[in-house]
Amino acid sequence: MKVLLGLCGSIAAYKALELARLLIKHGAEVRFVLTKSALNFVTPLSCQTLSNNEVYYDQFVLTRGIKHLALNDWVDILAVAPATANMIGKAAGGIGDDLLSTILLSFQGPVLFVPAMDQGMWENAIVTRNVSLLRDAGFHFLEPGFGALASGRIGRGRFPSIDIIAGKIMAMHEKRGGLEGKRFLVTGGRTEEDLDPVRVVTNRSSGLMATELVRAVHCRDGKVKGIFGEVTCPLPQDVDIVRVRTSAEMRSALLDHFPWCDCLVMAAAVGDYRPKKKSPVKIHAKTQRVEFEKNDDLLMEIAGQKGNRVVVGFSLEDSNHLIRARDKMKKKKLDLIVSNLTAAVGAQQTTASILRKTGKPLTFKTQTKWEVANRIIDECMRSLTGKKRG
Ligand SMILES: Cc1cc2nc3c(=O)[nH]c(=O)nc-3n(C[C@H](O)[C@H](O)[C@H](O)COP(=O)(O)O)c2cc1C
């Protein structure tokens, strides 16, 4: 994937350097085009060193390497990140008075704008009109996030997190989309149950599979909410996420949000057992025995009230995993089940199979969790198209 990163004069320009590093880590080749204003925020030297490529910022100089207009032939995706209100206005008005705006006029491939600006600018009626004009003309946008802005105010206008931008660029390149209007509820991470005020019983789920599911739905223009227990990976930002700790909290959040969704993907590792009682004081180290009782089967309970929603479960086994997964799918009346081996827990990659009600399982040899997440979403969409909302 060849990405041309267009940097404009925003305080968020420094974050585009990290974005370039992340894209390169995912196997992309990156080149930078900077506006004159962007040169006030980052240096061509940093961009050149990070991308290992020549940097472009003046359309009227001769370059030794690739020529400016030849960039159009080189690039797969043009991402203007950060995009200023000024550059959005120029693109919407068909103005090409510098290198980046000229490339925006002539490039015919996919373009992503990632705006970053103060809330006042983002909500300005002219900027809103320009964004709609560009959207209608087929340009893609990633909505800015909500939070602390460079001005010190709190509002909408933040440059989105770089993992979301990288996901969006990857999803565009892989031509993955088609989730507009679809609502996904994803649970992830691990629950923990208290033994006493300082000790917990839990498992080693990292939350990465669910994080990639949330990221993929968001980057493919679906609506997504996450319910996460404890995790050991960074959670996606700019997405609606509810945090829980125990299986009882997970149940309560699930019951609250389930009616909202079209599709539930239950990737959380909810503990099967909890201590029969929580000691109000630290249990003495000499204690030999602790009693456990079974937790409710949340997946079975929720799938029993799914109506026309699609419900996806996960099954983690050491052996006979496909047979056990199929039994679980039938018993719990799931639409799909993802069968993993225990080696997937905490790993960056996984070998997984997706089992459907009919047909052969779809099996993937060691893939990134991003890839598996996207395949699960594709299957959810197939199941959803066969159903009407209840
Ligand atoms: C410190 C500073 C920060 C700025 N940050 C932003 C910003 O985040 N978003 C934006 O749209 N404009 C921002 N501006 C204004 C733009 O830099 C200005 O409109 C400039 O003309 C944009 O040029 P360009 O679109 O060619 O990069 C900022 C200006 C300054 C001085």
Side-chain angles (χ1 to χ4, degrees), residues 30-275:
V30 172
R31 289 177 189 266
F32 284 98
V33 175
L34 277 70
T35 65
K36 232 175 170 178
S37 305
L39 293 171
N40 292 295
F41 295 90
V42 291
T43 67
L45 181 64
S46 307
C47 297
Q48 183 169 320
T49 310
L50 281 174
S51 65
N52 206 17
N53 270 319
E54 191 167 0
V55 176
Y56 308 90
Y57 48 91
D58 188 341
Q59 60 182 337
F60 298 114
V61 292
L62 289 172
T63 51
R64 271 177 288 128
I66 192 164
K67 294 282 182 287
H68 295 162
L69 283 176
L71 277 172
N72 285 2
D73 300 329
W74 172 85
V75 61
D76 292 322
I77 292 204
L78 168 56
V80 187
T84 52
N86 177 59
M87 186 55 70
I88 290 169
K90 286 206 285 190
I95 294 169
D97 65 353
D98 66 359
L99 182 58
L100 181 54
S101 54
T102 306
I103 292 174
L104 276 165
L105 274 178
S106 56
F107 180 57
Q108 291 183 320
V111 177
L112 173 67
F113 282 96
V114 187
M117 60 194 72
D118 207 50
Q119 179 160 331
M121 270 180 159
W122 178 244
E123 288 179 351
N124 177 292
I126 307 291
V127 175
T128 307
R129 186 205 61 186
N130 290 339
V131 170
S132 316
L133 254 172
L134 289 169
R135 278 191 203 272
D136 291 347
F139 293 89
H140 298 259
F141 274 81
L142 199 52
E143 285 280 311
F146 183 89
L149 302 168
S151 61
R153 288 184 218 128
I154 307 280
R156 189 160 296 281
R158 270 174 76 87
F159 194 56
S161 65
I162 55 167
D163 61 324
I164 292 286
I165 305 172
K168 178 77 189 173
I169 292 172
M170 280 153 61
M172 278 171 66
H173 181 63
E174 292 156 3
K175 297 200 169 23
R176 288 175 161 145
L179 305 189
E180 290 85 357
K182 290 287 175 283
R183 290 180 281 201
F184 283 74
L185 182 61
V186 178
T187 68
R190 55 187 182 267
T191 57
E192 57 180 39
E193 308 291 346
D194 295 330
L195 262 175
D196 65 22
V198 291
R199 298 189 183 98
V200 294
V201 179
T202 187
N203 59 67
R204 289 179 20 200
S205 170
S206 66
L208 181 59
M209 187 71 238
T211 297
E212 292 297 62
L213 281 158
V214 168
R215 200 160 73 95
V217 174
H218 185 66
C219 293
R220 292 173 62 170
D221 300 323
K223 293 198 182 334
V224 63
K225 281 185 188 178
I227 304 176
F228 277 83
E230 298 298 312
V231 292
T232 33
C233 68
L235 287 177
Q237 290 170 30
D238 310 323
V239 186
D240 194 357
I241 287 183
V242 179
R243 295 304 305 270
V244 297
R245 211 168 63 76
T246 62
S247 65
E249 288 174 16
M250 176 67 82
R251 179 176 182 274
S252 154
L254 251 180
L255 292 173
D256 279 354
H257 294 280
F258 187 57
W260 167 87
C261 75
D262 299 304
C263 179
L264 166 68
V265 187
M266 188 79 181
V270 180
D272 291 316
Y273 298 95
R274 64 172 178 267

